[in-house]
Structure formats: structure tokens, C-alpha cells
């Protein structure tokens, strides 16, 4: 049996690493317009500390890493961390989730350091609506980031679109056409209640069955596929005659917890077994001791629950655990 196997037989080979809780945007589904209280820089794990933790994880079977935030590209010298992580024996794939605003200037250096793939958040193709959703920033900078990612050879390039009822659902057809016309993988994501399961979330939640309905309405032929690199929980489709693909990530309407293979490391130094629940294990006291760090990884396996209960929250049912109060940007997406 693999070292990182939980009580329910799920093997974990994937670690998502947040390098900062700071972000240059204020997306309405991720953090309040006024922002959140950011951790002082001295509270964040250093790159050497992150590398130390990943070395232990790799010996236990971690092979895939994803760098997240906040917005990871606002932290200086990220390519240095990528270089350190890519040299660890057993690490085979390193990817990055970014809002793309700073990517054009850093794509070449990240690629040279050993980054394999990028996921770029893109919730709208309309510049005015971008300002509404992100509350700041420039859509053109994101598009330049996508172009730069393609130029330096990142593949596949995935675009993450969080669907919001009454906000961007009218752009589903445009995103599907984008996936048909360009060699991109567009991933539609359900709005999750991480740290804010309130009426705003309930009012804007949209099940992803709507994407397939619209594909049919506009006459796109689609077929399920399973060959998208690093597809994780995504349910993927190819468009007939198209250059790209699209995927559905529906943690609420079609829970995928039974296939979960991931752990999270927060920027301030906690291993988090599940995105939704409050449980976290502080790694800082164990730094400097591979044995103690290993115990924390194994402890995460012991306390990881069978599933989150976002669908139950949507329905107003009681929760069996305590949900986190941290926002997505404070955990790492």
C-alpha cells in the first residue's frame, strides 16, 4: 500500500502549495472587495522550508505539485522555488494556477526553471465585465499572459472559468467556441462556498449541467474524453472538429471526493487535508525534522474525511464537520 493512503483507500500523490495569500485582484467569488487581513511576510513559509516539506512528501509518494496563492506571481523570485522543487527526486510534474496578469513577464523564466503547465483564471471575455468580477486589473494583460504561455511551450494551457449565475453564464457559448477554435482547455468550475457559505453564494451558484445544455443548443457535437494531462477531477469533452477541449469541475452537483488524491500546504505553514473543512496541521514545529514532517503527512491521512458537504450546505442541511472560515485566497485554490 502507498504511504499516503487514507482511511478510505484513496492514494495521495498530489500537493497544492500556496506561496502567498496576497493577490493583485479581488475577484468577487474569492475575497471581499476590501480584501482580507494578509499574513505578515515573516509568517509565510520560505522557499527553502517549502522545499524541505516537499522532499519529505516526495519520499512518501507525492509526484505532482501545483503552485497557487493568492496570486503566486506576486511573490518575488517564484522561478527560484520552481527550480528547487523540480530538482527533487520523484517530482514529475509542476504546474501553476495564476490570474495571468503578471504571466507575460515571467512565463519564460518559469518555463526555464522547470514549470510544466499553467492554469489561467479567466471568468469573462468582456473587458468591462472583467472589471466587475475582478474589481481591478486589465483583461488585456491576461490575454497577453495566455499568448506568452503558448509561446514558451506550456501545454496544455487551461483556462479556469468560475460560472456565476446572473453574472457570466451568458458567456458559456463564447467560451465553448473559444475551445473549439483554439488549442486551449477551458474548464468551467462551480462556485464553491469556501469561507463564505452565504446567500450571495446561493444566489450565484450555477450547476454545470447548463454548459452541456448550451453546447447542444448552439449545435456543438461533444464527446467525453479522458486524455487531458493533469485533468484531476475534471469531466472532459472534445468538440467535434475543434482544436481544443473543455472540462466541467462540479464539486457540488457531482461530488468527486471519492477520487480525491490531493493535500494542500498553506502559505502560512499548514497541511490541509480537505479544502472545505477547518482541519489543518501546523508544519512549522516539525521543520528541521524529516521524521516529524512525515508524521504530519501521515496524520493528514488519518483525519481526512470521506467528503466535503457543499451540496448539503446548498440545501440547508446540517453539516457533520466544521467548515473553514478561511477564504480561498487564504488557503490556496
Amino acid at each position: 500500500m502507498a504511504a499516503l493512503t487514507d482511511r478510505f483507500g484513496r492514494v495521495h500523490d498530489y500537493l497544492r502549495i500556496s506561496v502567498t495569500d496576497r493577490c493583485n485582484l479581488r475577484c468577487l467569488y474569492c475575497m471581499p472587495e476590501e480584501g482580507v487581513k494578509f499574513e505578515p511576510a515573516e509568517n509565510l513559509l520560505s522557499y527553502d522550508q517549502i522545499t524541505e516539506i516537499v522532499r519529505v512528501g516526495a519520499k512518501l509518494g507525492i509526484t505532482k505539485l501545483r503552485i497557487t496563492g493568492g496570486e503566486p506571481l506576486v511573490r518575488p523570485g517564484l522561478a527560484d522555488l520552481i527550480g528547487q522543487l523540480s530538482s527533487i527526486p520523484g517530482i514529475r510534474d509542476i504546474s501553476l494556477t495564476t490570474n495571468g496578469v503578471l504571466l507575460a513577464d515571467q512565463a519564460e523564466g518559469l518555463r526555464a526553471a522547470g514549470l510544466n503547465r499553467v492554469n489561467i483564471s479567466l471568468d469573462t471575455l468582456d473587458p468591462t465585465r472583467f472589471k466587475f468580477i475582478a474589481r481591478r486589473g486589465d483583461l488585456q494583460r491576461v490575454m497577453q499572459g495566455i499568448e506568452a504561455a503558448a509561446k514558451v511551450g506550456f501545454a496544455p494551457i487551461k483556462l479556469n472559468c468560475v460560472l456565476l449565475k446572473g453574472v457570466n453564464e451568458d458567456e458559456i457559448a463564447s467560451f465553448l467556441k473559444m475551445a473549439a477554435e483554439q488549442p486551449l482547455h477551458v474548464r468551467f468550475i462551480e462556485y464553491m462556498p469556501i469561507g463564505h457559505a452565504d446567500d450571495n453564494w446561493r444566489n450565484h451558484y450555477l450547476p454545470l449541467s447548463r454548459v452541456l445544455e448550451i453546447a447542444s443548443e448552439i449545435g456543438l457535437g461533444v464527446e467525453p474524453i479522458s486524455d487531458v494531462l493533469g485533468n484531476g477531477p475534471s469531466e472532459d469533452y472534445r468538440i467535434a472538429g475543434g482544436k481544443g477541449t473543455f472540462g466541467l469541475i462540479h464539486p457540488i452537483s457531482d461530488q468527486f471526493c471519492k477520487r480525491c488524491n490531493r493535500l494542500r500546504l498553506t502559505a502560512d505553514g499548514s497541511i490541509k487535508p480537505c479544502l472545505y473543512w477547518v482541519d489543518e496541521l501546523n508544519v512549522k514545529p516539525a521543520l528541521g525534522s524529516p521524521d516529524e514532517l512525515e508524521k504530519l503527512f501521515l496524520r493528514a491521512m488519518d483525519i481526512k474525511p470521506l467528503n466535503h458537504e457543499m451540496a448539503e450546505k446548498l440545501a440547508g442541511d446540517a453539516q457533520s464537520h466544521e467548515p473553514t472560515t478561511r477564504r480561498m485566497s487564504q488557503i490556496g485554490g
Side-chain angles (χ1 to χ4, degrees):
M1 180 177 289
L4 293 179
T5 303
D6 69 12
R7 296 171 294 156
F8 309 102
R10 297 173 295 195
V11 176
H12 292 64
D13 60 359
Y14 182 11
L15 181 65
R16 299 176 71 98
I17 302 167
S18 176
V19 296
T20 182
D21 59 345
R22 286 169 167 75
C23 189
N24 48 358
L25 303 181
R26 296 290 183 272
C27 296
L28 57 85
Y29 55 81
C30 187
M31 81 168 74
E33 186 169 7
E34 67 275 12
V36 294
K37 184 178 180 180
F38 296 127
E39 288 287 338
E42 60 268 22
N43 286 3
L44 303 184
L45 291 173
S46 70
Y47 289 165
D48 286 345
Q49 289 171 332
I50 292 172
T51 302
E52 176 187 350
I53 294 163
V54 173
R55 286 189 186 280
V56 173
K59 290 179 179 179
L60 295 172
I62 295 294
T63 63
K64 298 184 293 185
L65 306 175
R66 175 169 295 279
I67 309 302
T68 72
E71 169 48 46
L73 296 185
V74 304
R75 183 159 175 179
L78 188 64
D80 295 336
L81 174 64
I82 300 297
Q84 291 177 222
L85 297 178
S86 65
S87 69
I88 296 174
I91 297 301
R92 298 198 296 264
D93 184 69
I94 305 176
S95 56
L96 172 79
T97 294
T98 173
N99 60 35
V101 173
L102 302 175
L103 183 57
D105 296 331
Q106 299 188 43
E108 187 173 358
L110 292 167
R111 180 68 170 160
L115 187 69
N116 302 110
R117 298 180 290 111
V118 291
N119 286 23
I120 302 169
S121 297
L122 184 65
D123 302 314
T124 178
L125 301 173
D126 178 79
T128 301
R129 185 172 286 173
F130 183 90
K131 294 282 189 181
F132 172 76
I133 295 175
R135 299 191 177 111
R136 57 181 69 179
D138 182 357
L139 176 61
Q140 184 59 30
R141 290 289 295 157
V142 181
M143 302 309 289
Q144 290 169 354
I146 295 171
E147 293 173 5
K151 184 176 180 180
V152 302
F154 288 123
I157 296 172
K158 299 181 181 180
L159 305 182
N160 290 347
C161 177
V162 177
L163 284 183
L164 304 167
K165 185 177 181 180
V167 177
N168 64 350
E169 62 183 302
D170 61 336
E171 293 190 71
I172 292 174
S174 296
F175 275 105
L176 287 171
K177 290 175 181 177
M178 187 179 192
E181 296 168 358
Q182 300 182 46
L184 300 167
H185 182 65
V186 177
R187 307 200 312 172
F188 298 98
I189 303 173
E190 288 183 337
Y191 181 15
M192 291 181 283
I194 306 302
H196 64 295
D198 52 18
D199 288 339
N200 181 65
W201 165 63
R202 290 185 176 88
N203 293 337
H204 289 301
Y205 167 75
L206 182 72
L208 296 189
S209 55
R210 185 66 185 132
V211 175
L212 295 178
E213 291 171 0
I214 289 181
S216 177
E217 290 171 8
I218 64 175
L220 291 180
V222 304
E223 61 175 351
I225 56 174
S226 59
D227 58 352
V228 177
L229 181 64
N231 66 332
S234 180
E235 175 189 327
D236 298 319
Y237 295 86
R238 179 170 287 112
I239 299 171
K243 295 181 179 180
T245 55
F246 72 93
L248 308 179
I249 298 179
H250 31 49
I252 300 168
S253 65
D254 187 12
Q255 186 188 98
F256 43 71
C257 296
K258 63 184 178 181
R259 304 190 305 276
C260 188
N261 66 337
R262 67 195 60 191
L263 294 170
R264 286 177 166 82
L265 177 65
T266 65
D268 58 354
S270 288
I271 292 176
K272 196 166 181 59
C274 177
L275 175 65
Y276 185 63
W277 301 116
V278 73
D279 306 292
E280 298 180 356
L281 300 171
N282 184 7
V283 302
K284 289 181 177 177
L287 290 169
S289 172
D291 288 343
E292 291 303 313
L293 287 171
E294 180 176 322
K295 288 177 183 177
L296 286 177
F297 273 104
L298 297 177
R299 177 62 180 156
M301 294 295 92
D302 289 339
I303 67 173
K304 183 160 184 168
L306 178 60
N307 52 261
H308 64 64
E309 296 173 9
M310 298 183 201
E312 287 83 349
K313 189 67 177 179
L314 183 65
D317 296 337
Q319 306 273 273
S320 64
H321 297 66
E322 182 182 353
T324 184
T325 57
R326 292 228 236 183
R327 291 280 187 151
M328 186 75 82
S329 62
Q330 296 171 305
I331 298 171

